């Protein structure tokens, strides 16, 4: 009986020791992983830009979006700020670092393609990213109330609304015709270009929309000219997942005025 008790005690002690060692190893690995993720090397390899810096400076906001899209297409998405702790932090307010004026197309989920999280992006979406009074008011709200300093007009390849403007079908039903009419000027401007007529019109449509927002009175125009905000354009490729920021909209950006 004593021998059996001794064996049982020995086995119990051995199992306890193994469990303790395994727990210690797991904790060490967790700490090591957290250290690696927080390292400068890891952040550089994953193109991570500090969120507060991106909110304060729209040029850094641009870099943050570019970095997020790189992670997305390279399979390195980190899906930041998507936990219960972030939900609690945001329950009394928001401070998105960028406003995205995008198309409603279900293939272009903004937070995913830019690898951003809760409270990072203020998003306005309509077919062909055509804007009207409600959209303009939403952008102005983000600019004035939320102090968001970056606006990105985001089109995408193979856009159905743009294709309709290029093809000009007859007897368009309902209010869809208003979308097509807004995009027709871009389709006409780009009709002489070599290549795919729809995707050429997509790019021109984004450029035209950027210019319209830069001239939009009374709020966006002044803030853009004074260098308080940036308004740029980009196109998402539905074949590759890559976002191309259009060079035409990145040239001669205004500098903030000295205070």
């Amino acid at each position: 009986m004593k021998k059996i008790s001794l064996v049982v005690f020995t086995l119990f002690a051995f199992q306890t020791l193994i469990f303790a060692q395994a727990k210690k190893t797991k904790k060490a690995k967790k700490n090591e992983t957290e250290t690696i993720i927080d390292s400068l090397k890891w952040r550089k390899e994953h193109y991570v830009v500090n969120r507060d810096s991106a909110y304060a400076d729209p040029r850094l906001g641009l870099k943050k979006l570019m970095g997020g899209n790189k992670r997305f297409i390279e399979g390195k998405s980190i899906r930041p700020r998507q936990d219960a702790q972030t939900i609690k932090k945001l329950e009394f307010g928001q401070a998105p670092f960028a406003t995205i004026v995008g198309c409603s197309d279900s293939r272009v989920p903004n937070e995913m393609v830019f690898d951003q999280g809760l409270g990072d992006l203020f998003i306005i979406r309509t077919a062909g990213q055509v804007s009207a009074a409600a959209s303009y008011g939403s952008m102005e709200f983000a600019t004035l109330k939320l102090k968001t300093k970056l606006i990105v007009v985001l089109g995408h390849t193979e856009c159905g609304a743009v294709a309709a403007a290029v093809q000009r079908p007859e007897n368009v039903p309902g209010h869809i015709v208003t979308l097509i009419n807004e995009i027709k000027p871009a389709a006409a401007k780009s009709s002489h270009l070599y290549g795919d007529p729809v995707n050429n019109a997509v790019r021109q449509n984004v450029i035209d929309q950027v210019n319209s927002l830069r001239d939009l009175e009374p709020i966006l125009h002044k803030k853009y000219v004074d260098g308080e905000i940036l308004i740029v354009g980009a196109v998402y490729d539905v074949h590759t997942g890559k976002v191309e920021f259009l060079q035409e909209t990145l040239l001669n950006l205004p500098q903030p005025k000295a205070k």
Side-chain angles (χ1 to χ4, degrees):
M1 188 69 181
K2 287 183 178 179
K3 287 183 178 180
I4 293 173
S5 299
L6 182 60
V7 170
V8 171
F9 176 78
T10 304
L11 286 173
F12 177 77
F14 183 66
Q15 287 177 338
T16 302
L17 179 62
I18 290 175
F19 177 77
Q21 288 178 336
K23 190 175 181 181
K24 186 177 180 181
T25 302
K26 186 177 180 181
K27 185 176 181 182
K29 285 184 177 179
K30 182 182 178 182
N31 290 339
E32 183 182 348
T33 301
E34 289 175 350
T35 301
I36 290 171
I37 289 176
D38 289 337
S39 71
L40 290 175
K41 181 176 183 292
W42 185 90
R43 292 174 70 84
K44 184 176 181 181
E45 288 175 350
H46 288 76
Y47 327 108
V48 176
V49 174
N50 178 271
R51 193 198 175 284
D52 291 340
S53 299
Y55 178 73
D57 184 345
R59 286 169 173 78
L60 292 178
L62 263 178
K63 288 185 178 181
K64 188 168 181 65
L65 292 178
M66 291 175 180
N69 184 243
K70 276 189 176 184
R71 292 194 299 272
F72 175 69
I73 61 178
E74 292 178 9
K76 294 181 178 179
S77 294
I78 59 176
R79 299 173 183 84
R81 294 164 55 83
Q82 297 180 18
D83 54 11
Q85 186 179 3
T86 303
I87 294 174
K88 292 297 291 181
K89 284 183 178 179
L90 294 172
E91 62 182 333
F92 298 115
Q94 59 172 319
F97 72 87
T99 296
I100 310 294
V101 182
C103 181
S104 301
D105 196 295
S106 62
R107 297 169 294 178
V108 196
N110 294 182
E111 283 91 352
M112 288 179 66
V113 303
F114 287 119
D115 193 27
Q116 301 303 319
L118 297 167
D120 288 334
L121 305 178
F122 190 84
I123 298 171
I124 302 157
R125 298 178 71 176
T126 60
Q129 67 276 350
V130 171
S131 292
S135 298
Y136 296 142
S138 298
M139 295 175 221
E140 292 170 342
F141 172 81
T143 300
L144 290 179
K145 179 67 176 178
L146 305 179
K147 309 300 181 185
T148 304
K149 298 178 177 65
L150 174 62
I151 298 175
V152 178
V153 177
L154 180 64
H156 67 90
T157 60
E158 321 303 341
C159 179
V162 175
V166 171
Q167 296 158 6
R168 301 193 176 208
E170 296 182 1
N171 301 318
V172 179
H175 294 84
I176 300 173
V177 68
T178 62
L179 297 172
I180 296 174
N181 287 341
E182 287 293 324
I183 302 172
K184 276 182 180 179
K189 284 182 187 177
S190 60
S191 61
H192 68 286
L193 298 176
Y194 176 78
D196 182 87
V198 172
N199 290 335
N200 287 340
V202 164
R203 294 177 67 93
Q204 188 60 54
N205 188 45
V206 169
I207 293 169
D208 287 354
Q209 289 167 343
V210 167
N211 290 333
S212 293
L213 293 181
R214 288 175 177 177
D215 290 337
L216 185 65
E217 297 284 3
I219 296 168
L220 297 189
H221 175 68
K222 184 177 189 311
K223 285 192 172 293
Y224 177 76
V225 170
D226 289 347
E228 293 181 36
I229 65 172
L230 293 184
I231 306 173
V232 301
V235 173
Y236 173 82
D237 191 325
V238 297
H239 302 288
T240 65
K242 182 177 181 179
V243 174
E244 177 194 358
F245 284 85
L246 302 184
Q247 193 63 29
E248 297 94 324
T249 69
L250 299 177
L251 297 173
N252 303 316
L253 293 174
Q255 297 293 326
K257 289 185 178 180
K259 294 182 179 180

